[in-house]
Amino acid sequence: MINVEQIYTAESQVDSWETIQFLYRSAIKEVGTKLDILNDEFQHIHKYNPIEHIKSRLKTPESIVKKLKKQDYDVTIENMVRYVHDIAGIRIICSFTSDIYNLAEMLGKQNDLKVIWIKDYIKNPKESGYKSYHMLITVPVFLSDRVVETKVEIQIRTIAMDFWASLEHKIYYKFEGKAPENISKDLRACAAMVAELDDRMLQLNEQIKALTTEADGD
């Protein structure tokens, strides 16, 4: 088994950026299938779906080039694979913060997935107020003549976190990362509201589950 970086040292195994795109698209499919199975299993056992919906995307060459230049790397396919970790990205939207950690734990227990790193921006939000749970994993892509370990970045958020992050993303690109202080301040205030909403919705859900359990026991 080789990883996606090592394919450059094997002569004629990779001929173009199109081949790299194929590998990352395949990795997204592999992880997507795992998530569907985990969601179905959770429904089967607990009669509840932790996943509201899943978004996936393959980073555009233009965006990758921009990121490499920002980090002062030469624009080569090898550097794209080695230093840009979010070429393949999957975003999982959950109802509650407890779902995020349950799902992350289930993914971490998959024998063929390797967790490279975890960044918990829920317990440790960014200065802007951004909250999300990030995992960088590798997944084996089984080809006809070899298996290639390919990186996928997974982001797990609640619906409220995703709504906030979507607005932050628009503001970031509108002002090229330098939003006026009053807008940044309001955005941080909204992040606090989102955190409170998530906490209260989780508490409400726990109350509903407790009452349901009591009713079932009667």
Side-chain angles (χ1 to χ4, degrees):
M1 185 178 295
I2 60 176
N3 63 49
V4 76
E5 294 174 13
Q6 292 172 321
I7 54 182
Y8 297 98
T9 62
E11 189 174 351
S12 25
Q13 286 192 335
V14 172
D15 54 11
S16 66
W17 170 240
E18 283 73 22
T19 304
I20 296 299
Q21 287 181 307
F22 162 73
L23 286 171
Y24 282 110
R25 278 197 302 267
S26 300
I28 289 173
K29 290 178 183 178
E30 291 281 358
V31 177
T33 299
K34 286 182 174 296
L35 290 170
D36 286 340
I37 293 172
L38 288 173
N39 202 37
D40 289 348
E41 181 192 19
F42 210 88
Q43 172 67 36
H44 174 69
I45 296 173
H46 303 287
K47 311 303 178 188
Y48 169 71
N49 292 326
I51 300 175
E52 289 289 337
H53 58 273
I54 299 171
K55 303 175 185 177
S56 64
R57 64 105 184 92
L58 195 65
K59 208 173 188 69
T60 65
E62 293 79 11
S63 181
I64 295 170
V65 167
K66 184 177 180 180
K67 193 164 191 175
L68 283 173
K69 288 182 176 179
K70 186 177 180 180
Q71 297 176 353
D72 293 326
Y73 290 118
D74 292 334
V75 179
T76 65
I77 293 180
E78 183 175 1
N79 283 346
M80 289 178 184
V81 172
R82 181 163 293 159
Y83 300 115
V84 182
H85 301 306
D86 59 346
I87 293 177
I90 291 180
R91 186 175 302 149
I92 308 166
I93 311 302
C94 301
S95 297
F96 308 104
T97 50
S98 57
D99 295 332
I100 294 173
Y101 291 104
N102 286 335
L103 196 55
E105 183 179 6
M106 287 188 285
L107 283 170
K109 289 180 179 179
Q110 297 287 301
N111 290 334
D112 56 345
L113 295 185
K114 180 180 179 182
V115 179
I116 306 301
W117 51 246
I118 290 171
K119 295 181 180 179
D120 189 344
Y121 295 116
I122 298 173
K123 293 180 179 177
N124 301 288
K126 291 185 179 181
E127 186 179 349
S128 64
Y130 175 86
K131 284 190 171 185
S132 186
Y133 190 95
H134 292 196
M135 303 175 71
L136 180 66
I137 60 99
T138 61
V139 60
V141 175
F142 292 85
L143 304 179
S144 60
D145 59 345
R146 65 194 186 278
V147 180
V148 182
E149 293 282 350
T150 308
K151 290 183 291 188
V152 178
E153 185 193 57
I154 300 173
Q155 299 178 356
I156 317 176
R157 306 172 181 168
T158 64
I159 299 170
M161 290 175 196
D162 192 56
F163 178 48
W164 184 95
S166 177
L167 178 59
E168 186 208 29
H169 184 76
K170 292 175 183 177
I171 292 172
Y172 180 88
Y173 278 96
K174 176 70 175 178
F175 296 101
E176 298 182 346
K178 298 178 181 178
E181 178 55 31
N182 63 312
I183 292 179
S184 297
K185 183 179 179 181
D186 285 346
L187 196 61
R188 289 192 294 271
C190 287
M193 295 178 193
V194 165
E196 182 180 0
L197 175 63
D198 273 336
D199 287 343
R200 295 187 66 176
M201 292 296 283
L202 178 59
Q203 291 171 16
L204 181 59
N205 185 59
E206 293 300 320
Q207 291 176 40
I208 293 170
K209 288 197 312 188
L211 290 171
T212 302
T213 301
E214 289 179 11
D216 291 340
D218 292 341

